[in-house]
Amino acid sequence: KQEVTQIPAALSVPEGENLVLNCSFTDSAIYNLQWFRQDPGKGLTSLLLIQSSQREQTSGRLNASLDKSSGRSTLYIAASQPGDSATYLCAVEQGSQGNLIFGKGTKLSVKP
Amino acid sequence: SQTIHQWPATLVQPVGSPLSLECTVEGTSNPNLYWYRQAAGRGLQLLFYSVGIGQISSEVPQNLSASRPQDRQFILSSKKLLLSDSGFYLCAWGRAGTVNTEAFFGQGTRLTVV
């Protein structure tokens, strides 16, 4: 059974710092991995999708990497801003129907 | 562009009452549709998914049911709510027929069963 773990559960950093969020999964047979952002009481916003054949994806200040063989992904946020404060979730797609298995998230707080 | 609508945003219901949450998608056809639940202290858990009208798959045994009466409409229901049904319910859609497709989520419904 696939399990997705995110470390740390919470992170507080000063504005401007570069930071890394970690995600690990137990079964490497995945189609893709997605990173999402969730603001308090809101739905999920898709940030990056990495296909199983890819090593990384970039969008603005965000860079996500995937090492499928070791079951790891990282989300790198450059020059963090207070507006980046949110919970970041990673999820892996295993089934052919697009079903996602989520980690519990990392709650990020960026202090001005 | 595609949009997903989910309502209501919040709901407080007594134990034993019925439930109906609705989700609709615009701007696409024949989407895969999903219901997830986010309970306190737990990750998002897939409850149901649908690949077409009338086709529902359940991931976990539970007190809830789902229906897809129209191509872009997905409904989550219960005949009698339990306290354990409280949580944050999220509807999502993805393009059918392909893997490696992004999932897009609605804004969620906060359900509190009292």
Side-chain angles (χ1 to χ4, degrees), chain A residues 31-32 34 36 38 41-44 46-47 49-52 89 93 95-104, chain B residues 32 34 36 38 41-44 46 49 51 59 88 90 98-108 110:
Chain A
Y31 286 108
N32 63 57
Q34 278 188 254
F36 295 89
Q38 186 177 28
K42 302 294 184 182
L44 276 61
S46 178
L47 298 174
L49 179 146
I50 311 177
Q51 298 180 15
S52 60
L89 297 161
E93 178 183 344
S96 59
Q97 305 303 335
N99 305 352
L100 295 174
I101 301 169
F102 283 84
K104 293 184 179 181
Chain B
N32 287 345
Y34 310 89
Y36 288 86
Q38 191 173 37
R42 302 183 65 181
L44 273 154
L46 178 65
Y49 68 92
V51 299
E59 286 293 295
F88 192 52
L90 287 157
T98 62
V99 295
N100 294 316
T101 180
E102 278 184 276
F104 300 94
F105 283 77
Q107 287 299 298
R110 173 73 58 190

Side-chain angles (χ1 to χ4, degrees), chain A residues 2-111:
Chain A
Q2 177 76 267
E3 292 185 3
V4 180
T5 303
Q6 291 187 247
I7 295 174
L11 181 64
S12 181
V13 301
E15 182 177 4
E17 197 164 291
N18 302 326
L19 58 98
V20 174
L21 307 180
N22 296 293
C23 173
S24 62
F25 46 95
T26 55
D27 185 348
S28 62
I30 64 171
Y31 286 108
N32 63 57
L33 183 143
Q34 278 188 254
W35 282 94
F36 295 89
R37 168 185 173 138
Q38 186 177 28
D39 292 290
K42 302 294 184 182
L44 276 61
T45 300
S46 178
L47 298 174
L48 290 164
L49 179 146
I50 311 177
Q51 298 180 15
S52 60
S53 59
Q54 297 175 325
R55 298 285 296 192
E56 66 178 313
Q57 283 285 347
T58 299
S59 176
R61 293 182 293 109
L62 305 179
N63 176 276
S65 67
L66 174 64
D67 184 343
K68 200 173 78 160
S69 61
S70 68
R72 296 175 188 274
S73 175
T74 60
L75 179 66
Y76 175 83
I77 302 177
S80 59
Q81 303 170 358
D84 294 330
S85 298
T87 296
Y88 291 80
L89 297 161
C90 76
V92 298
E93 178 183 344
Q94 265 196 309
S96 59
Q97 305 303 335
N99 305 352
L100 295 174
I101 301 169
F102 283 84
K104 293 184 179 181
T106 294
K107 185 175 182 179
L108 173 66
S109 176
V110 182
K111 305 294 186 183

Side-chain angles (χ1 to χ4, degrees), chain B residues 39-77:
Chain B
R42 302 183 65 181
L44 273 154
Q45 182 182 37
L46 178 65
L47 301 177
F48 300 96
Y49 68 92
S50 172
V51 299
I53 296 173
Q55 300 179 61
I56 309 294
S57 297
S58 174
E59 286 293 295
V60 293
Q62 59 199 298
N63 182 44
L64 302 169
S65 62
S67 62
R68 184 170 178 175
Q70 300 181 42
D71 181 44
R72 290 169 291 174
Q73 183 185 30
F74 206 22
I75 297 172
L76 185 68
S77 304

